[in-house]
Structures are given as structure tokens and as C-alpha cells.
């Protein structure tokens, strides 16, 4: 499954979310939360991209030496359902093969806090993935962060655009930290190792 990656090319790690403080703690914005933590870990600050509607941080992930990976962390500022355009523009600018792209996103069909990593697949109704797949095909990596299903008769759109509950927030930092670890493992050690360590 790792054959589509290119060891010499940088990685594009895309946190999916919506821009602006009103969305910051929404379930739909957990990709932004993971990207922010990864930026903190590499000592970078997000700045506006020159070539796309996005914020970016460039740096290296992993131990110093041959094990480290060049990475561009991305937060599209185009709103979720238009994420594909900015990501594809950055892919072309940085000359990144699709197999070196990782989308970090919320996932309704997985219990809260559970992680699943995979390469390729469908979008499962997720507008950010739908837009990315339309722009460049489905063969990119995904780090899927479980948020669970909405309670009762709550509409999916309302659920994902609500903030994490008080109970969920007690464990949110731990789960975001674990998702960031999973991204680092994926880049440094490959998909199979990351899946065996973090898929639950």
C-alpha cells in the first residue's frame, strides 16, 4: 500500500476544518486542531500561503537525520466543501505526489476518539474529502478521527458544526495528541506500522 509514496518528495498534511473563531471548537474542525498541534511540535507558525487559499507551515517531522520527513502542514481557508482547490494548488506548487498527502478529518462512523488510518477509499459523505477527491482523485492517506453519530434525531450537519461537549472536551487533548502521533508515525514509518500502532 505504501508504493504510491515518494521518499524524496515532501509530505502535505492537510487538517480539514472551517476558518474563523466561530468554528474553532466544532467537531468538524478536529483536523485543524491536529494540524495546530503538529505545527507547535515542529516550532512553526501558520502563515498565509502565496499560491492558495490556505495557511501553511513548512518544517520537518521525525528524528534528525535520514528518518526525518519534509512536511508542509496545511489548513485550507476556503471552507470545508471547497478544500480540494487549495490542496491541489499546493500539491502542484510543492510537487507532491498524491500518495504523499494526508487528510486529517472527523469521521461520523467511528466512536469518539477512535483513530483509523487508511490509503484511498470513498468520502463517506464528508464534504472536505469529497472536494479533495474531485480535485485529485482518491489515492491519498486519511487519518480518520472518530466523532461518533449524532444523538437522537439531530441532523448530521448540526452535529458536526457543534462544539465538542463538556464530557468530550475532558479527553479531547489526549485524542488530538494521539492523532498527531499517528501522523508522525505514518510519515516516518509507513502506513502499515501506523495502522498496527494506532488503528483501534
Amino acid at each position: 500500500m505504501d508504493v504510491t509514496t515518494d521518499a524524496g518528495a515532501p509530505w502535505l498534511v492537510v487538517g480539514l476544518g472551517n476558518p474563523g473563531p466561530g468554528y474553532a471548537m466544532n467537531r468538524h474542525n478536529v483536523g485543524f486542531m491536529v494540524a495546530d498541534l503538529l505545527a507547535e511540535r515542529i516550532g512553526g507558525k501558520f502563515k498565509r500561503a502565496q499560491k492558495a487559499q490556505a495557511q501553511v507551515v513548512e518544517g520537518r517531522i521525525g528524528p534528525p537525520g535520514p528518518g526525518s520527513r519534509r512536511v508542509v502542514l496545511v489548513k485550507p481557508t476556503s471552507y470545508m466543501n471547497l478544500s480540494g482547490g487549495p490542496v491541489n494548488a499546493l500539491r502542484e506548487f510543492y510537487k507532491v505526489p498524491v500518495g504523499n498527502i494526508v487528510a486529517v478529518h472527523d469521521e461520523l462512523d467511528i466512536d469518539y476518539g477512535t483513530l483509523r488510518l487508511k490509503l484511498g477509499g470513498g468520502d463517506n459523505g464528508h464534504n472536505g474529502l469529497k472536494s479533495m477527491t474531485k480535485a485529485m482523485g482518491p489515492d491519498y492517506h486519511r487519518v480518520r478521527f472518530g466523532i461518533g453519530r449524532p444523538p437522537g434525531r439531530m441532523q448530521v450537519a448540526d452535529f458536526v458544526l457543534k462544539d465538542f461537549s463538556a464530557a468530550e472536551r475532558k479527553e479531547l487533548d489526549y485524542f488530538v495528541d494521539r492523532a498527531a502521533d499517528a501522523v508522525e508515525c505514518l510519515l516516518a514509518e509507513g502506513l502499515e506500522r501506523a495502522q498496527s500502532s494506532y488503528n483501534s
Side-chain angles (χ1 to χ4, degrees):
M1 287 289 262
D2 286 331
V3 293
T4 58
T5 62
D6 179 345
W11 284 79
L12 219 55
V13 176
V14 182
L16 289 175
N18 287 307
Y23 295 101
M25 289 303 295
N26 286 183
R27 293 181 179 93
H28 222 19
N29 267 46
V30 73
F32 274 18
M33 297 174 198
V34 175
D36 284 337
L37 179 56
L38 287 167
E40 193 180 305
R41 288 183 180 184
I42 65 175
K45 281 190 166 39
F46 277 99
K47 61 185 181 190
R48 196 165 67 186
Q50 299 292 318
K51 303 291 179 182
Q53 211 176 343
Q55 292 185 314
V56 296
V57 174
E58 296 180 46
R60 298 192 82 88
I61 278 180
S68 76
R69 299 285 181 263
R70 284 174 59 212
V71 66
V72 182
L73 304 174
V74 181
K75 294 195 298 184
T77 55
S78 57
Y79 290 98
M80 183 71 85
N81 61 348
L82 299 173
S83 301
V87 174
N88 201 39
L90 291 168
R91 179 187 72 80
E92 292 175 351
F93 177 71
Y94 288 104
K95 297 179 172 55
V96 176
V98 174
N100 278 39
I101 295 173
V102 183
V104 185
H105 64 92
D106 57 303
E107 178 64 64
L108 285 159
D109 287 337
I110 303 175
D111 290 340
Y112 173 60
T114 299
L115 293 178
R116 297 272 167 77
L117 285 77
K118 69 173 187 173
L119 175 62
D123 57 57
N124 203 24
H126 192 289
N127 287 331
L129 298 181
K130 197 176 292 183
S131 181
M132 284 182 61
T133 296
K134 185 178 177 185
M136 58 196 183
D139 297 326
Y140 51 91
H141 291 82
R142 297 99 187 278
V143 174
R144 304 156 71 203
F145 186 110
I147 60 170
R149 302 294 303 185
R153 296 185 178 183
M154 185 187 291
Q155 294 294 311
V156 165
D158 294 333
F159 179 69
V160 299
L161 293 176
K162 278 200 177 344
D163 288 359
F164 285 101
S165 69
E168 288 169 334
R169 283 200 297 272
K170 289 177 181 171
E171 295 183 290
L172 183 59
D173 286 350
Y174 168 76
F175 289 139
V176 168
D177 194 68
R178 193 164 181 271
D181 290 347
V183 172
E184 291 184 347
C185 182
L186 170 61
L187 270 56
E189 301 184 53
L191 178 62
E192 286 186 18
R193 176 63 66 87
Q195 286 174 324
S196 66
S197 298
Y198 292 96
N199 277 15
S200 47

